[in-house]
Amino acid sequence: MALELNQDSLARVIRPKDLKTAGLIDTASNRAFLSQQAYGVVRSDFSGLSIRQFSMKDKVAYSILSVPHSIVLNQLNQVIRTSTGVKTSDRDTIVRRLITILTEGVPHRLYKFDIKEFYDSIDPLLLADEILIDNRIPRASLLALAKYLDELQTRRIRGLPRGIPLSATLAEYALKRFDNFISKLPQVYFYARYVDDIVIVTSRLEEPRSFTRTVRRALPFKLDFNTTKSRLVDIPVQTRSNGHGVVGDLDYLGYNISVHESARVRGRLARTVDVSIATKKVRRIKTRICNSVVDFLRAPDIWTLTRRLQLLTGNYNVREYNTGQLRNVGLYCNYRHITRTDCLRELDSFLRAILVGDRSHLAKRFATSVARDQRQSFLRFSFLSSFNDRTFYNFSPQELLALKECWRDG
């Protein structure tokens, strides 16, 4: 059975990548050998776990180096997800529903909360007290999970190690009761959480301070909010407005969402909601353009620069580490809900100024290194055109890693 933790089930989750990492070719005997080693971990403990620490977006992350342990953790992840039904919410669905709700011509109050140091702050001991008595999860899996959590404590790894798929599942499990509680509060009209980013739309009948206090106190496992990132936007109803004025805006999941005053449309009150790419994300893309050109000046390679411009302006497929499924990402795929293209025109202007301009120091250096005809040929890359055309490119996983290496911002 899929929910069992035995040698057969462990053999089924072995990926070609696991065999390659172990230095083995993909044969039945090698798969049996790896599954036997993995089952040895289940029967003993995680003391032999080999784990590497690295930096990911200025935060500490981890990867599992020992293949048998990685196989066990992947199977544990599948068992817990299947047994409990926990999963990460879909970003596109959250944004689409939020925009739809905000267009309604009724009173709303919009709250945004960010959980401080989400993975690092979850207390594994408190989480273990809850999950290890969950009778939906098979006993063998619970015993293996307990050994794994004990090993993390022994190594003084804080919270749930970021970068390991099982950590994402355990974090979702930790907040499932919280999600259910907040979504059922009488004042709540819409609730969504994407990892550590929470958005709540209320009926505006609640007292904001008291409501915020209720939400904060409901956080489990010693979690707290990052108050510097919290936002509150009042969205009243205007009956004598042309709808042009903006009552408030917020950044959420990479978007900037601006809510206009209500106005009558075909006899009903409604609001216009403008959606753009968040300023922080636009700034990151500009930084990546600059880093790409700087790297070219250090080691001139027209093909590498071309591929980086394709990566920045287009879309491509990546394979999910945990499921092995392909996922579409890139400019259009990441920001398909934008209704204003000013941000794309801004990026095009910035790109043009770097490639064929002569005002900035970087543009002058680029102009002296590349012939004008070659520089002008790069203008075929456009954020606006690529977004409208939904342009796709193909990249291998190895090429993606190499191309992104110069983007120090993550």
Side-chain angles (χ1 to χ4, degrees):
M1 291 177 62
L3 293 184
E4 292 180 352
L5 195 63
N6 54 35
Q7 193 167 332
D8 289 338
S9 66
L10 291 167
R12 287 194 290 271
V13 298
I14 294 175
R15 302 159 301 174
K17 179 182 178 181
D18 296 322
L19 290 153
K20 185 177 179 180
T21 302
L24 301 171
I25 59 174
D26 194 346
T27 64
S29 59
N30 282 338
R31 283 179 173 269
F33 170 72
L34 272 186
S35 63
Q36 186 177 24
Q37 284 195 319
Y39 191 53
V41 172
V42 174
R43 297 180 66 179
S44 57
D45 55 37
F46 282 80
S47 58
L49 175 69
S50 178
I51 190 168
R52 179 175 70 92
Q53 180 179 310
F54 62 98
S55 178
M56 181 172 67
K57 297 183 179 180
D58 298 325
K59 294 182 179 180
V60 175
Y62 298 86
S63 62
I64 304 298
L65 299 181
S66 44
V67 176
H69 298 90
S70 178
I71 293 169
V72 174
L73 294 180
N74 285 338
Q75 175 62 1
L76 267 178
N77 191 39
Q78 287 192 20
V79 170
I80 294 171
R81 280 177 172 260
T82 304
S83 301
T84 64
V86 298
K87 61 180 181 179
T88 303
S89 300
D90 180 69
R91 174 177 175 266
D92 279 336
T93 301
I94 293 173
V95 173
R96 186 177 65 250
R97 290 183 62 197
L98 178 61
I99 293 169
T100 299
I101 286 168
L102 294 178
T103 60
E104 299 173 356
V106 296
H108 287 316
R109 187 173 283 123
L110 181 60
Y111 296 82
K112 177 196 169 187
F113 299 108
D114 176 87
I115 301 175
K116 185 192 301 182
E117 299 180 340
F118 183 34
Y119 285 89
D120 299 332
S121 297
I122 294 177
D123 189 326
L125 295 178
L126 294 178
L127 175 61
D129 288 342
E130 182 170 319
I131 195 170
L132 295 180
I133 59 172
D134 192 330
N135 58 18
R136 295 173 297 176
I137 304 173
R139 179 170 174 76
S141 296
L142 290 176
L143 290 173
L145 178 62
K147 294 174 185 177
Y148 170 66
L149 294 176
D150 283 344
E151 187 62 29
L152 296 183
Q153 290 294 300
T154 300
R155 300 188 184 207
R156 300 187 182 280
I157 293 176
R158 185 182 172 211
L160 300 174
R162 186 182 289 100
I164 297 173
L166 177 59
S167 294
T169 297
L170 294 176
E172 289 299 316
Y173 181 94
L175 283 186
K176 196 162 187 180
R177 287 188 181 179
F178 170 82
D179 294 338
N180 188 52
F181 172 75
I182 301 301
S183 64
K184 290 183 177 179
L185 289 175
Q187 311 93 331
V188 172
Y189 193 71
F190 173 76
Y191 167 84
R193 179 181 58 81
Y194 185 78
V195 190
D196 56 357
D197 289 317
I198 295 171
V199 66
I200 304 173
V201 180
T202 68
S203 57
R204 210 163 167 259
L205 297 176
E206 80 290 348
E207 198 283 313
R209 287 186 184 179
S210 175
F211 180 79
T212 299
R213 193 160 50 245
T214 297
V215 176
R216 186 178 183 182
R217 287 175 176 172
L219 282 171
F221 306 115
K222 299 183 179 180
L223 293 173
D224 200 358
F225 290 134
N226 185 344
T227 54
T228 61
K229 294 185 178 181
S230 296
R231 287 274 283 122
L232 186 152
V233 180
D234 262 316
I235 309 174
V237 171
Q238 295 80 23
T239 56
R240 298 179 181 273
S241 170
N242 59 13
H244 293 168
V246 174
V247 296
D249 74 294
L250 85 160
D251 288 349
Y252 188 63
L253 301 186
Y255 290 95
N256 176 262
I257 302 172
S258 296
V259 184
H260 285 245
E261 294 177 341
S262 55
R264 292 204 174 272
V265 180
R266 300 186 185 90
R268 296 179 59 186
L269 286 172
R271 297 187 185 89
T272 297
V273 177
D274 291 332
V275 185
S276 184
I277 301 176
T279 301
K280 180 180 178 181
K281 301 299 182 182
V282 171
R283 204 160 45 232
R284 174 178 288 182
I285 295 172
K286 289 180 179 179
T287 300
R288 290 180 172 182
I289 292 172
C290 292
N291 286 347
S292 298
V293 174
V294 169
D295 190 73
F296 170 84
L297 294 171
R298 182 186 59 80
D301 186 330
I302 293 293
W303 176 245
T304 299
L305 180 57
T306 298
R307 293 294 274 170
R308 282 187 173 131
L309 292 176
Q310 290 175 346
L311 191 59
L312 286 167
T313 60
N315 304 276
Y316 53 98
N317 294 320
V318 294
R319 191 171 296 279
E320 290 279 8
Y321 176 84
N322 190 37
T323 64
Q325 296 179 340
L326 287 175
R327 181 166 60 91
N328 296 334
V329 297
L331 183 68
Y332 173 80
C333 296
N334 290 351
Y335 302 107
R336 68 180 75 229
H337 297 295
I338 66 171
T339 59
R340 293 180 60 95
T341 57
D342 307 33
C343 51
L344 301 178
R345 298 179 196 278
E346 179 186 339
L347 287 169
D348 278 339
S349 295
F350 184 85
L351 180 62
R352 184 180 183 88
I354 295 292
L355 296 177
V356 298
D358 59 4
R359 293 188 177 183
S360 70
H361 177 64
L362 183 58
K364 290 175 182 177
R365 289 179 61 197
F366 190 61
T368 59
S369 302
V370 182
R372 184 171 180 82
D373 288 348
Q374 179 65 65
R375 287 187 287 129
Q376 288 183 326
S377 73
F378 285 131
L379 296 181
R380 68 185 184 274
F381 297 111
S382 163
F383 288 91
L384 180 60
S385 297
S386 181
F387 183 87
N388 290 333
D389 297 339
R390 306 181 188 182
T391 307
F392 264 82
Y393 299 101
N394 292 318
F395 301 93
S396 69
Q398 295 76 18
E399 187 182 16
L400 281 174
L401 284 174
L403 292 175
K404 292 180 178 181
E405 194 172 349
C406 73
W407 295 342
R408 293 182 295 274
D409 65 317

